[in-house]
Amino acid sequence: MPVCVYEGCFSGSKRQDKEQIPGVHVHKFPKHPELRKKWLQQTNKNVQHTYIDKVGEYNIRSPSGVFNVSPIESKKCCVKLFTGDNKNVQNELGVEPLGDNILDISSNVLIERLQNDLEQCKKKNEILLTENNKLRTTVKTLKDRMNLEDNRFESRFGKLLSNLFTSTQIKFLLHPTKKICRWLPEDISSAITLRSVSPKAYRYLRNKKGFPLPGLSTLRSWASKFSVEPGLLHGVLSLMKSKGDTMETNDKLTILCFDETYISKRICFDKKNEQVLGPHKSVQTVIARGLINNWKQPIYYNFDERMTKEILNKIIEELSEVGFNVVAIVSDSGSTNVGLWKSLDISINNTSFEHPKLNSRIHVFADVPHLLKLARNHLLDSGFILPNGKFIGKNILHEVLNLNYGKDYKFAHKLSERHLFVEGSGRMNVRLAANVFSNSVSKAIAYCGEKNCPDKYNWKEVII
């Protein structure tokens, strides 16, 4: 800030111990030679120009005019500008106002200079605007390219992980800092499945490995709203409908598996619905499974109920409503299921029935594990009479066991007395039945027959 060069005047100074004259404004002398000369002429004609340049390049002016100050003993000169009302200060310093305003003298020069500066600024502005437009175009092109690359990356990333994660989980992996506001039903369904397999593994994957999985509180909230009352599970059907929107048509080809399971006759209390359940003897369970894709889902259950044609058609229609086409049913050969087959007009010559809603056929299959157990039980109980009249029974199996007795090297190592003497729940064991009809047992019988060890019991017919 300019400081007054007049000795004894501290106008413009930052010193706190000195009193400043109010209403005084201090300005620098102009650098333009002509203006500077006119300022010097207005201040004091007797002062040398070099002296003024050396001592102080300051001037004081205001709309009231420029004032002349006589030099004092130190030969210093101060030019001060006062407001028109501050006459006491003018008299104290001995200044006299000059008539003409300094701005009137230099107006033409200033206008010309400002016009030149304005033209130069306009030219620079045009250049800057052109460069700015080019930069804007470049930035827009780069942003579009970045957005395109991001979309390509997200699309490719989603395709690679679509077999492992849902769309919501993939979004979470792409944007880990973004909070997921809502989990879809398919996310909850897969999460509940993983949680049911191993709660510890679920917590480890979510908390330690950072897998995009819903919190346990979210699963509890969904589970509390999930209706699992006896009958059709409509909540499950809604989940299947949501999941089916992302599946191919062939992946939604469905097989219905149902079976009647005996349960303990206990009495339970349902806290949610505040009702007593039981005692019940059995429960009928229906599971939908994929024919091509590997998936399964319980969709129906009820206590002490056998499967009927009406219930089966209703389940098939409900699955068709949510986009899943039933192409086959599988059940065991129990008495209740045999009655169902008769109501559907199923026989050896007719193994399918009409779809209740679509113009297609639904094929009926007997449960293979159940058939395997029945065949084993029949072999051990009474044996088989072949079309050629020959008989095969369990005697050949006992003969193989006798050959193995007391020897380190044994034929048919899977076969033991436990497989031949089955009672009670052992008759329902599928593994024991599969071991009896295994390839190793067949190879052992063939080897012994070729060595004339079992020379009877029609061993050749057994291994066919």
Side-chain angles (χ1 to χ4, degrees):
M1 180 177 179
V3 181
C4 183
V5 298
Y6 190 85
E7 186 175 359
C9 179
F10 298 96
S11 298
S13 175
K14 296 183 179 180
R15 295 180 59 178
Q16 301 294 331
D17 57 338
K18 301 298 181 179
E19 182 179 359
Q20 299 187 13
I21 301 175
V24 176
H25 303 277
V26 184
H27 301 271
K28 287 184 178 182
F29 272 77
K31 294 183 179 180
H32 195 276
E34 295 182 1
L35 290 177
R36 188 181 188 85
K37 182 178 179 181
K38 293 179 180 180
W39 277 50
L40 292 173
Q41 291 176 356
Q42 292 292 329
T43 55
N44 192 349
K45 297 180 180 180
N46 298 325
V47 179
Q48 298 294 330
H49 293 182
T50 56
Y51 183 77
I52 293 297
D53 292 341
K54 183 177 180 181
V55 175
E57 299 179 354
Y58 298 92
N59 183 29
I60 303 175
R61 56 194 176 90
S62 74
S64 61
V66 179
F67 298 88
N68 184 15
V69 181
S70 301
I72 56 177
E73 296 178 356
S74 61
K75 301 297 182 182
K76 294 182 180 180
C77 178
C78 176
V79 181
K80 294 188 177 182
L81 184 63
F82 303 93
T83 59
D85 298 335
N86 200 349
K87 296 181 179 180
N88 295 328
V89 178
Q90 298 176 16
N91 296 332
E92 180 182 353
L93 298 178
V95 297
E96 296 179 359
L98 299 177
D100 298 330
N101 195 319
I102 192 68
L103 294 178
D104 296 335
I105 301 174
S106 59
S107 60
N108 295 331
V109 179
L110 287 175
I111 291 173
E112 183 179 357
R113 182 179 179 183
L114 291 175
Q115 287 178 348
N116 295 333
D117 293 341
L118 180 61
E119 293 296 329
Q120 293 179 1
C121 290
K122 286 182 178 180
K123 293 180 180 180
K124 291 181 179 180
N125 188 38
E126 291 178 358
I127 296 173
L128 292 176
L129 287 175
T130 304
E131 294 180 355
N132 188 27
N133 292 332
K134 291 181 180 179
L135 292 175
R136 286 178 180 272
T137 304
T138 304
V139 170
K140 186 177 182 303
T141 304
L142 293 176
K143 284 185 177 180
D144 294 340
R145 187 178 300 174
M146 289 179 61
N147 293 333
L148 181 61
E149 291 297 328
D150 291 341
N151 293 334
R152 288 179 179 176
F153 173 76
E154 291 183 3
S155 177
R156 186 177 180 184
F157 189 79
K159 289 181 180 179
L160 292 175
L161 298 181
S162 59
N163 294 330
L164 299 176
F165 299 100
T166 63
S167 58
T168 308
Q169 291 174 322
I170 293 174
K171 290 180 181 179
F172 181 82
L173 292 174
L174 289 172
H175 309 284
T177 58
K178 186 177 180 181
K179 185 178 179 181
I180 296 178
C181 299
R182 183 179 180 183
W183 292 97
L184 299 178
E186 59 176 337
D187 304 321
I188 301 299
S189 177
S190 59
I192 290 177
T193 303
L194 178 60
R195 168 67 174 75
S196 62
V197 173
S198 175
K200 186 180 293 185
Y202 187 89
R203 291 193 297 268
Y204 176 77
L205 291 176
R206 185 178 185 275
N207 300 331
K208 300 296 183 180
K209 294 299 182 180
F211 273 57
L213 296 171
L216 295 178
S217 60
T218 304
L219 298 183
R220 295 190 192 99
S221 177
W222 274 76
S224 63
K225 301 175 184 178
F226 207 81
S227 177
V228 288
E229 296 181 358
L232 264 174
L233 303 178
H234 294 282
V236 174
L237 293 177
S238 63
L239 290 177
M240 292 179 64
K241 183 178 181 180
S242 301
K243 181 66 176 178
D245 294 338
T246 61
M247 298 172 62
E248 300 292 337
T249 303
N250 291 336
D251 294 337
K252 293 189 287 185
L253 296 178
T254 307
I255 298 177
L256 287 182
C257 306
F258 52 90
D259 192 13
E260 187 177 13
T261 307
Y262 290 95
I263 58 178
S264 60
K265 298 180 181 180
R266 294 182 180 179
I267 299 176
C268 301
F269 180 72
D270 185 0
K271 295 181 179 179
K272 180 180 178 181
N273 299 319
E274 297 183 353
Q275 61 180 358
V276 178
L277 300 177
H280 297 291
K281 181 181 179 181
S282 63
V283 58
Q284 183 73 245
T285 308
V286 181
I287 297 178
R289 306 190 65 165
L291 175 63
I292 298 176
N293 199 1
N294 186 19
W295 61 267
K296 60 182 178 180
Q297 183 66 56
I299 58 173
Y300 179 91
Y301 82 97
N302 208 346
F303 298 104
D304 300 330
E305 182 181 60
R306 65 185 184 90
M307 182 58 65
T308 62
K309 180 180 179 180
E310 292 74 17
I311 296 175
L312 182 62
N313 287 336
K314 183 179 180 181
I315 295 173
I316 295 173
E317 290 175 358
E318 292 292 337
L319 285 173
S320 179
E321 288 290 336
V322 296
F324 288 81
N325 182 21
V326 178
V327 296
I329 63 172
V330 179
S331 64
D332 58 24
S333 302
S335 58
T336 57
N337 293 330
V338 171
L340 173 65
W341 293 353
K342 291 181 179 179
S343 64
L344 295 173
D345 196 20
I346 301 298
S347 62
I348 297 177
N349 299 323
N350 181 30
T351 59
S352 63
F353 63 96
E354 190 73 22
H355 194 289
K357 199 167 185 179
L358 303 177
N359 187 19
S360 60
R361 304 288 294 181
I362 299 177
H363 300 274
V364 179
F365 295 92
D367 185 23
V368 175
H370 190 74
L371 291 177
L372 196 62
K373 291 185 292 183
L374 291 178
R376 188 276 315 273
N377 294 339
H378 196 77
L379 175 66
L380 298 181
D381 294 341
S382 56
F384 295 100
I385 299 178
L386 302 179
N388 58 7
K390 293 184 178 181
F391 173 81
I392 57 174
K394 63 179 180 180
N395 297 329
I396 186 68
L397 300 176
H398 284 289
E399 187 69 21
V400 173
L401 285 179
N402 293 332
L403 292 175
N404 288 336
Y405 184 76
K407 296 181 180 179
D408 295 334
Y409 180 79
K410 297 182 179 181
F411 301 102
H413 61 280
K414 293 183 179 179
L415 191 64
S416 64
E417 293 184 357
R418 179 167 171 258
H419 292 80
L420 302 182
F421 299 96
V422 289
E423 296 179 354
S425 60
R427 297 174 70 88
M428 302 300 296
N429 193 315
V430 179
R431 176 174 292 182
L432 296 179
N435 289 338
V436 172
F437 297 111
S438 64
N439 185 50
S440 60
V441 173
S442 176
K443 293 290 185 181
I445 294 174
Y447 178 81
C448 294
E450 292 174 357
K451 300 298 181 180
N452 296 322
C453 293
D455 54 354
K456 50 185 177 179
Y457 307 128
N458 300 320
W459 66 269
K460 291 184 179 180
E461 283 74 11
V462 173
I463 63 174
I464 293 177

